[in-house]
């Protein structure tokens, strides 16, 4: 392994300024869209979203304080978790998105709801919220700490990230029935489902777990970087080109959807001409799909 490859593996290279600006713009738009879905559609009609956002809406309703304050405070501990699990770039992207979200929910709060039709508010609020969250996830951040918490808990329990999120949201959405009313709890569940589908659409159908296949002349350098900088285990496979007959080493790994952006960045840094294939996985069993902390 050359000194250049070692440097790429051990150091986090800075993104080009154009990519940084694009990510900032995309995360800003995503956070504003989520704030719109919340304050212009869902919150005025007593409909909540899942996760930390749903908890924040209920606490804001009970206390009469601004929603943005609770969105910021309650998500902070999960930003720290995100730093430990996904690294510095993810943490910075997330904290920036949450700050923008908190500011714009406070800004939009005095604005009258776009519609008082509960079904229209639920459908369009869920769609707009989901599109916003999807934009942020696609650009390496997050706007709700539930998924980060699920990734951490996943290391200690025999359940998938998706199952853990669904379990937590079952209680959060159920609590809406006590805070508001049971019909609002059912509308909240509908909004959550619509938002989830919108998120998947924006990020091109990404599921929680992805399989990754990388073919490169620098396979070992990429594999080591994925292990060290992403915290994911890798497996090397020996392959042979059917047309050329050349022997190739293939890198195989399994990642979460929040990690895809960083993985593609790692591959582009080390070998821009590498062949990269990413596919959805319905279920992961056996092996050791656990994530170590990275710094």
């Amino acid at each position: 392994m050359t000194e250049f490859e070692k440097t790429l593996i051990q150091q986090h290279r800075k993104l080009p300024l154009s990519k940084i600006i694009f990510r900032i713009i995309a995360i800003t738009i995503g956070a504003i869209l989520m704030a719109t879905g919340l304050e212009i559609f869902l919150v005025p009609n007593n409909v909540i979203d899942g996760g930390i956002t749903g908890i924040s809406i209920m606490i804001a309703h009970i206390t009469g304080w601004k929603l943005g304050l609770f969105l910021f405070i309650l998500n902070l501990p999960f930003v720290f978790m995100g730093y430990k699990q996904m690294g510095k770039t993810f943490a910075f992207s997330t904290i920036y998105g949450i700050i923008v979200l908190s500011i714009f929910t406070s800004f939009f709060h005095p604005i009258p709801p776009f519609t008082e039709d509960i079904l229209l508010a639920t459908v369009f609020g869920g769609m707009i919220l989901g599109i916003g969250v999807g934009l942020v996830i696609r650009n390496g951040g997050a706007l709700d700490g539930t998924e980060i918490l699920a990734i951490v808990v996943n290391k200690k329990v025999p359940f998938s990230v998706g199952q853990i999120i669904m379990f937590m949201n079952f209680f959060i959405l159920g609590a809406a029935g006590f805070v508001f009313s049971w019909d609002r709890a059912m509308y909240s569940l509908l909004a959550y489902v619509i938002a989830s589908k919108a998120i998947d659409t924006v990020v091109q159908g990404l599921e929680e777990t992805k399989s990754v296949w990388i073919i490169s002349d620098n396979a070992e350098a990429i594999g080591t970087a994925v292990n060290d900088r992403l915290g994911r285990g890798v497996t090397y496979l020996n392959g042979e080109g059917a047309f050329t007959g050349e022997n190739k080493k293939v890198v195989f790994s399994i990642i979460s959807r929040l990690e895809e952006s960083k993985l593609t960045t790692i591959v582009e840094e080390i070998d821009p001409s590498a062949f990269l294939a990413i596919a959805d996985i319905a279920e992961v069993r056996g092996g050791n799909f656990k994530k170590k902390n990275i710094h």
Side-chain angles (χ1 to χ4, degrees), residues 217-235:
D217 293 330
N218 299 310
E220 291 187 5
I222 293 174
T224 305
V226 170
N227 187 272
D228 290 347
R229 291 168 54 182
L230 206 59
R232 291 297 184 190
V234 299
T235 300

Side-chain angles (χ1 to χ4, degrees), residues 144-167:
D144 191 281
T146 308
E147 192 157 355
I148 302 171
L149 176 61
I151 292 173
V152 175
V153 174
N154 175 247
K155 298 171 65 177
K156 305 180 183 298
V157 298
F159 299 105
S160 69
V161 172
Q163 290 171 331
I164 296 169
I165 292 174
M166 184 60 69
F167 180 78

Side-chain angles (χ1 to χ4, degrees), residues 160-201:
S160 69
V161 172
Q163 290 171 331
I164 296 169
I165 292 174
M166 184 60 69
F167 180 78
M168 289 188 289
N169 281 327
F170 174 81
F171 290 99
I172 293 170
L173 295 172
F178 295 96
V179 177
F180 301 113
S181 62
W182 290 108
D183 66 328
R184 289 303 191 265
M186 289 185 282
Y187 279 116
S188 297
L189 178 60
L190 177 60
Y192 170 72
V193 171
I194 293 172
S196 298
K197 294 301 180 182
I199 292 171
D200 290 341
T201 300

Side-chain angles (χ1 to χ4, degrees), residues 43-116:
V43 174
N45 290 284
N46 292 332
V47 177
I48 73 169
D49 184 33
I52 302 301
T53 302
I55 296 173
S56 299
I57 293 172
M58 288 187 286
I59 296 177
H61 175 78
I62 294 171
T63 62
W65 294 0
K66 290 186 177 181
L67 173 61
L69 176 66
F70 294 105
L71 287 172
F72 180 75
I73 293 175
L74 296 183
N75 274 301
L76 275 182
F78 302 103
V79 174
F80 178 74
M81 289 184 185
Y83 172 76
K84 289 294 184 181
Q85 292 295 314
M86 266 76 74
K88 186 186 299 182
T89 302
F90 175 83
F92 285 163
S93 299
T94 298
I95 192 65
Y96 172 73
I98 291 172
I99 290 173
V100 174
L101 173 63
S102 301
I103 291 173
F104 275 89
T105 50
S106 299
F107 178 73
F108 290 155
H109 184 71
I111 300 176
F114 191 81
T115 178
E116 294 183 357

